[in-house]
Amino acid sequence: MKKSTGLLLALALNGLAIPAVFAQEEQIELVPLPSIDDFTRGEDGWAFALGAGIEYEAAYEGSDEFGFEPDPAGGIQWRSGDNIFYFAGEAIGWRGLRDDVWLLEATIGFEEGREEGDSDDGYLDGLGDSDEGTELVLQARRAFDADWRYWLDGRVVTGENGNLGIFGVGTRFGAQQDGSGSELALVAVYHDSELANKDFGITAEQAVASGLAETNMSGGFRSVGVHYNYKKYINDNWRIYVEALYEHYSSDVQDSPIARSDYEAELGIGFIYVF
């Protein structure tokens, strides 16, 4: 996750006041959550969407440098009943709805590496580059009812560079069932020692090269976060989306010389055209 609290809260409050204006004709989404992309309009078979956005985010995990970055959006989906198989960017996966209240998902994708040049101020000099790695994401959401007004969420991310666990609770605003509107989730994030050291650890060799203190991280609680999503249908083809995240690091992470801030934040906005 990457990411200002005031801006995030303003977005959340605005999201509560802005109704979806895509008439009353509701599309049959797999689940009515703005965070879940469904381009199929409830029909079995292939669906295609193409879009782009821009994100304002931290340069790397723990950075106090922020900048704008283009973000491709859309993807290819194939639906069969309550199952959607998809390819989006560098990820391929499946999600399925079970008993109207369980949303299960499995995704194979890539984790971005970190380069010394990611810091324009030279804070990563001497730490070397970390490679991109393959990761598997397994997720389960359990709604309290078929309207998906409230839900619990659990996610495990395992890959070449370590493991991550995310546990949260969320709520959806608005009465529409077509996947538009807004939602807000609170999450707690845990990492193992391998991933913690990849993002925030400093080996003896890196300490000599960078001048930073050698740091050995242990696994455990990483952060607590807030995640906001908003989606609006402009017409039958065009969609606009907004995503905002705020992640507050644990004291152990804040003690790392790499974490120059006690939080990360991210704000993104974009458009998608559904064919």
Side-chain angles (χ1 to χ4, degrees):
M1 290 183 291
K2 296 182 181 179
K3 313 163 190 195
S4 92
T5 309
L7 180 56
L8 176 62
L9 294 177
L11 281 170
L13 293 174
N14 288 337
L16 295 178
I18 302 177
V21 296
F22 190 52
Q24 296 300 318
E25 180 182 348
E26 295 185 341
Q27 301 179 25
I28 305 174
E29 305 282 319
L30 190 64
V31 288
L33 297 180
S35 60
I36 302 298
D37 286 327
D38 184 351
F39 310 132
T40 66
R41 297 187 173 95
E43 300 177 358
D44 285 357
W46 292 100
F48 305 89
L50 186 63
I54 188 167
E55 294 181 341
Y56 184 71
E57 62 181 9
Y60 56 90
E61 299 285 352
S63 175
D64 60 356
E65 302 170 66
F66 288 80
F68 291 96
E69 184 174 339
D71 181 40
I76 302 172
Q77 298 180 348
W78 185 79
R79 181 166 180 168
S80 176
D82 287 335
N83 299 281
I84 292 179
F85 300 87
Y86 60 88
F87 174 76
E90 295 183 320
I92 184 170
W94 159 85
R95 64 173 61 105
L97 181 65
R98 298 294 180 268
D99 297 326
D100 293 327
V101 294
W102 282 99
L103 180 65
L104 308 177
E105 186 165 1
T107 307
I108 298 176
F110 293 94
E111 177 194 9
E112 293 183 0
R114 188 184 66 197
E115 300 179 357
E116 288 189 7
D118 288 342
S119 172
D120 292 334
D121 294 332
Y123 295 130
L124 299 177
D125 290 353
L127 297 181
D129 299 340
S130 60
D131 296 330
E132 185 179 72
T134 305
E135 62 182 18
L136 171 66
V137 182
L138 300 176
Q139 181 177 9
R141 293 192 190 189
R142 173 62 163 85
F144 290 97
D145 55 50
D147 285 339
W148 284 84
R149 182 66 55 196
Y150 303 96
W151 71 90
L152 299 175
D153 181 61
R155 191 181 318 169
V156 175
V157 183
T158 181
E160 301 175 60
N161 297 313
N163 303 291
L164 192 72
I166 304 173
F167 307 94
V169 58
T171 184
R172 179 177 65 87
F173 304 104
Q176 61 274 15
Q177 297 286 324
D178 61 358
S180 65
S182 58
E183 68 180 66
L184 190 68
L186 302 176
V187 299
V189 185
Y190 298 82
H191 55 191
D192 65 7
S193 59
E194 183 178 2
L195 183 60
N197 280 293
K198 170 190 171 293
D199 291 337
F200 302 105
I202 301 174
T203 65
E205 183 179 359
Q206 290 174 325
V208 172
S210 66
L212 300 175
E214 181 178 352
T215 303
N216 184 40
M217 303 288 297
S218 59
F221 177 61
R222 177 187 179 101
S223 62
V224 61
V226 180
H227 189 183
Y228 173 79
N229 280 279
Y230 174 73
K231 186 188 296 179
K232 181 177 181 178
Y233 298 140
I234 300 174
N235 55 39
D236 192 46
N237 298 102
W238 283 101
R239 303 179 181 185
I240 184 173
Y241 65 89
V242 176
E243 182 178 19
L245 301 97
Y246 176 82
E247 180 182 12
H248 192 84
Y249 290 130
S250 68
S251 57
D252 287 344
V253 172
Q254 292 180 36
D255 288 341
S256 167
I258 294 176
R260 302 189 57 82
S261 176
D262 59 3
Y263 73 93
E264 283 196 60
E266 176 184 322
L267 175 64
I269 183 171
F271 295 86
I272 295 177
Y273 184 86
V274 180
F275 293 88

